[in-house]
Amino acid sequence: YRGRGVRLAYAEGNRDLFVAHYFHGTLFDLASGSEIVLTRGSRRFVLVHGDRLNRIDYNYRAWNLLVRSEPVRLLLRNLPPGLILRASAALERKLRTTNRRFRTYFPHGQCERYARQQFGRGADTVLMGHFHRDLSIRYDNDGRCGGEVHILPDWLSCRTALRIDGQGCIRHVPRESTG
């Protein structure tokens, strides 16, 4: 796809450790552990996974700081891949039952606060995943910065990608036609 001008951007999420560290500029043209800002046409986009949006999910925030730390990266780099996969599968099963309060909750207020911060920095559109919903929200400029937020559905069940063309138009495209 790159030969046709397609660029791949990836914002790390809750299950992605060190993707940006190892794959920025290789597998992905743009990869970040936090957010990606890009301009297409006259529109400025912020791409963020969204897993750290909920400021009151203290357990997740502490866990996130630990697993993304440099000592953990160095440890994982030196362990056999098979051991890492088995340990991560076991950990995933164990964590699936924790923190249920925040798994079903969409933090509308925190989403709006984050989005308005980005709009104030010049963004027109915020794109995020994590919440596994297909949701679009428009924040009008009622004396504050306005713009739109698109929450993307999860890739595994929907098998769609988001495409932003050169003019800044966005659309969901099925996996088979992502090029």
Side-chain angles (χ1 to χ4, degrees):
Y1 298 119
R2 286 187 172 129
R4 294 185 286 178
V6 173
R7 297 186 58 185
L8 297 174
Y10 194 87
E12 285 182 9
N14 49 307
R15 292 185 174 99
D16 312 319
L17 295 179
F18 313 111
V19 171
H21 181 85
Y22 292 109
F23 298 109
H24 175 85
T26 56
L27 181 60
F28 300 105
D29 299 291
L30 301 167
S32 174
S34 57
E35 57 196 26
I36 297 169
V37 177
L38 56 95
T39 301
R40 295 292 179 268
S42 63
R43 294 180 69 185
R44 186 169 180 188
F45 296 87
V46 174
L47 287 65
V48 63
H49 183 266
D51 61 320
R52 287 168 269 176
L53 181 72
N54 194 343
R55 310 289 296 169
I56 62 171
D57 188 352
Y58 302 114
N59 291 337
Y60 177 74
R61 293 175 64 75
W63 168 255
N64 186 62
L65 283 173
L66 173 68
V67 298
R68 294 181 191 285
S69 69
E70 188 64 13
V72 168
R73 186 185 72 78
L74 293 172
L75 174 68
L76 292 175
R77 187 176 75 183
N78 292 301
L79 290 175
L83 177 62
I84 294 171
L85 289 173
R86 287 191 303 278
S88 66
L91 188 58
E92 177 73 24
R93 282 190 303 275
K94 186 173 185 165
L95 290 176
R96 195 174 293 141
T97 62
T98 66
N99 228 10
R100 288 193 187 275
R101 174 179 164 210
F102 295 109
R103 290 182 186 272
T104 59
Y105 164 74
F106 180 75
H108 284 279
Q110 293 182 56
C111 178
E112 180 175 2
R113 185 171 34 258
Y114 175 81
R116 287 193 186 280
Q117 283 178 333
Q118 297 305 321
F119 302 150
R121 295 179 184 141
D124 302 293
T125 304
V126 174
L127 304 169
M128 74 174 72
H130 184 64
F131 298 101
H132 299 195
R133 300 169 184 221
D134 191 1
L135 179 64
S136 294
I137 306 169
R138 175 90 189 145
Y139 295 113
D140 293 323
N141 190 348
D142 53 353
R144 299 181 286 175
C145 298
E148 58 189 31
V149 175
H150 297 279
I151 312 297
L152 307 177
D154 68 296
W155 188 86
L156 285 175
S157 65
C158 296
R159 300 285 193 210
T160 63
L162 189 74
R163 182 171 187 204
I164 306 171
D165 69 19
Q167 289 73 46
C169 296
I170 58 175
R171 66 182 173 101
H172 291 277
V173 292
R175 179 175 169 229
E176 295 78 30
S177 63
T178 54

